[in-house]
Amino acid sequence: MPIKRIITKAKVPVKIYTDDVDPQAMTQLVNIAQLPFIHSHVAAMPDVHVGIGATVGAVIPTKGAIIPAAVGVDIGCGMNAVRLSLKAGQLPDNLKPVRAAIEAAVPVGFAMHTDKPGVPASTVRALDGGLDRIVGKHPGILKMQKHVERIWAQQLGTLGGGNHFIELCLDENQDVWVMLHSGSRGIGNIIGRYFIDLARKDMGKHLANLPDRDLAYLQEGAEHFDDYVAAVSWAQDYAMTNRREMMRLILEALGRQLPPFTLTREAINCHHNYVAVERHFEETVFVTRKGAIRAGEGELGIIPGSMGAKSYIVRGKGEPQSFCSCSHGAGRRLSRGKAKKTFAPQDLIAQTAGVECRKDAGVLDEIPGAYKDIDEVMAHQADLVEVVHTLKQVVCVKG
């Protein structure tokens, strides 16, 4: 479907690809569109919902400034998926040992690899130099978490918690896929929070002129702008590496549980919380995608549903009005707290029928009923992407 709503009450328009927009999210979108450095317009994807400062599901093009809170604290969070040479009929009838093998290989929640990194030393060295340069100029980052100098390496190849997951899925041809969702772990969170705070301090008395203090920004040419660009770039590389290393560990674990297999599609590895330099509407701009993926013409991407719903491998159509973007998932309908109050474990059991996964109160905030209908979200972005594969999970690992 084309753009459903255009809001014109701010400096630039807000173009929205759905009618399902929470009033608070609408206020956040208008607040962003009031900022003086927004280029052309703000685009809101079909999964749009309330975030911290900036709306999740927003694509924000800026000239000469970046909003650290719009990029967020899980810098580089995104998806990775590979297709295996296996068919559904080659999977064991009991998938619980498969889930256990994945959970044993990849630490989840607050857990991490103990004693030493769970990835090759060369991978750690490749990232280490960039981090040293960042904390050399901003040693305060190291004070935000105990033992961060070793923890960041031990968290490489780990899942985290919240809405992050690892899944074994089947597509419409009964081919087996591995799909995962994670980001830059604790070190990305620290870098994000540090520069969000620094942006507020740098704005000083001008912070009061913003519609929301979480929209504090760093201007190009200012003291800390280049440092943030370097730090966010490093965190995005870390997140990409984290997903790649997790996938390696998962495939090794599956190799001990399943019949021999090969990879039949090159891995799709895409960010959905990040900033990049791109050209749109005859200008070179910083594009912040907060809960959105790039969907340039012909580009492959991943749009997951909830832990009981379908997910999609998509090919972008390069739609200019969305800044070549599409949604990053279904989008939350209920906050985590509201989901826990609304649903009980028996609801989770019913909504994840047929999926080998946790079904306890500890993951109740991730119940499918807390999310928008992924089919509706996909219908609203038919102008943005075409569906290449439809996936349904049979195993889901959560933190």
Side-chain angles (χ1 to χ4, degrees):
M1 291 183 184
I3 294 164
K4 301 289 286 183
R5 298 181 67 179
I6 300 178
I7 309 302
T8 58
K9 61 176 70 172
K11 175 182 174 291
V12 298
V14 178
K15 300 182 180 183
I16 309 173
Y17 285 85
T18 180
D19 285 324
D20 185 9
V21 188
D22 179 273
Q24 287 181 277
M26 187 69 76
T27 297
Q28 288 186 330
L29 289 167
V30 171
N31 286 345
I32 295 166
Q34 290 176 359
L35 298 175
F37 47 79
I38 303 296
H39 170 62
S40 179
H41 62 276
V42 174
M45 300 298 99
D47 59 341
V48 62
H49 59 282
V50 173
I52 298 175
T55 323
V56 180
V59 184
I60 307 165
T62 57
K63 283 186 62 65
I66 299 176
I67 309 163
V71 180
V73 297
D74 197 357
I75 302 168
C77 184
M79 301 289 303
N80 193 355
V82 297
R83 185 173 64 194
L84 310 184
S85 59
L86 298 175
K87 291 287 188 178
Q90 294 174 275
L91 296 178
D93 293 335
N94 183 5
L95 290 170
K96 191 168 186 178
V98 174
R99 176 163 74 98
I102 295 172
E103 291 171 340
V106 179
V108 303
F110 292 107
M112 66 188 81
H113 296 286
T114 56
D115 300 327
K116 61 180 181 179
V119 303
S122 59
T123 300
V124 177
R125 286 196 298 271
L127 290 166
D128 202 6
L131 182 61
D132 286 345
R133 288 189 290 274
I134 294 164
V135 299
K137 296 186 71 173
H138 296 275
I141 291 173
L142 295 177
K143 298 176 183 178
M144 297 177 70
Q145 183 185 64
K146 288 184 178 179
H147 310 303
V148 67
E149 68 284 352
R150 64 172 173 80
I151 285 176
W152 72 268
Q154 289 176 247
Q155 286 188 331
L156 271 171
T158 69
L159 183 65
N163 62 352
H164 295 161
F165 62 79
I166 299 165
E167 291 184 343
L168 204 63
C169 304
L170 304 177
D171 70 10
E172 68 284 352
N173 300 313
Q174 296 299 290
D175 289 327
V176 177
W177 289 71
V178 180
M179 183 170 69
L180 63 86
H181 171 210
S182 190
S184 51
R185 304 295 284 111
I187 187 65
N189 181 284
I190 292 168
I191 288 171
R193 288 191 290 117
Y194 178 86
F195 280 98
I196 289 169
D197 187 56
L198 194 59
R200 291 179 184 138
K201 290 177 180 176
D202 282 3
M203 290 199 70
K205 62 182 181 181
H206 299 293
L207 187 64
N209 297 328
L210 293 177
D212 186 328
R213 67 192 302 269
D214 283 321
L215 296 178
Y217 54 87
L218 294 167
Q219 284 189 288
E220 198 166 9
E223 180 182 3
H224 297 122
F225 181 86
D226 289 343
D227 293 346
Y228 177 67
V229 170
V232 81
S233 177
W234 181 89
Q236 289 171 188
D237 288 345
Y238 179 99
M240 188 77 73
T241 302
N242 182 42
R243 290 193 291 274
R244 189 179 300 121
E245 291 300 329
M246 258 193 293
M247 186 63 76
R248 179 182 62 81
L249 293 170
I250 294 163
L251 294 176
E252 287 178 358
L254 293 178
R256 297 187 290 270
Q257 295 288 323
L258 303 179
F261 60 82
T262 58
L263 307 185
T264 64
R265 180 183 282 280
E266 184 179 355
I268 305 165
N269 199 340
C270 56
H271 295 320
H272 56 224
N273 284 349
Y274 73 112
V275 61
V277 178
E278 298 178 3
R279 191 160 182 84
H280 294 279
F281 298 104
E282 301 182 351
E283 293 280 358
T284 299
V285 295
F286 297 102
V287 177
T288 297
R289 292 185 175 92
K290 184 181 181 70
I293 64 172
R294 181 172 167 82
E297 186 172 3
E299 292 180 350
L300 290 176
I302 308 165
I303 303 176
S306 64
M307 63 188 288
K310 291 176 285 189
S311 298
Y312 296 89
I313 306 297
V314 298
R315 183 179 289 112
K317 294 185 175 181
E319 169 54 45
Q321 295 298 321
S322 73
F323 303 102
C324 298
S325 307
C326 68
S327 83
H328 80 311
R332 293 196 74 92
R333 186 177 299 282
L334 300 179
S335 69
R336 296 188 181 279
K338 184 67 178 294
K340 289 179 179 179
K341 292 178 181 178
T342 303
F343 297 104
Q346 57 264 35
D347 299 313
L348 180 61
I349 292 169
Q351 293 182 29
T352 58
V355 182
E356 172 55 50
C357 64
R358 287 180 60 186
K359 300 176 189 283
D360 56 83
V363 292
L364 196 55
D365 55 346
E366 283 295 298
I367 189 170
Y371 285 83
K372 295 181 180 181
D373 185 317
I374 187 64
D375 291 328
E376 291 182 10
V377 170
M378 295 304 297
H380 284 141
Q381 55 189 340
D383 285 6
L384 310 183
V385 293
E386 62 174 315
V387 174
V388 180
H389 293 290
T390 301
L391 311 184
K392 182 66 177 71
Q393 69 275 80
V394 290
V395 175
C396 179
V397 172
K398 302 284 293 187

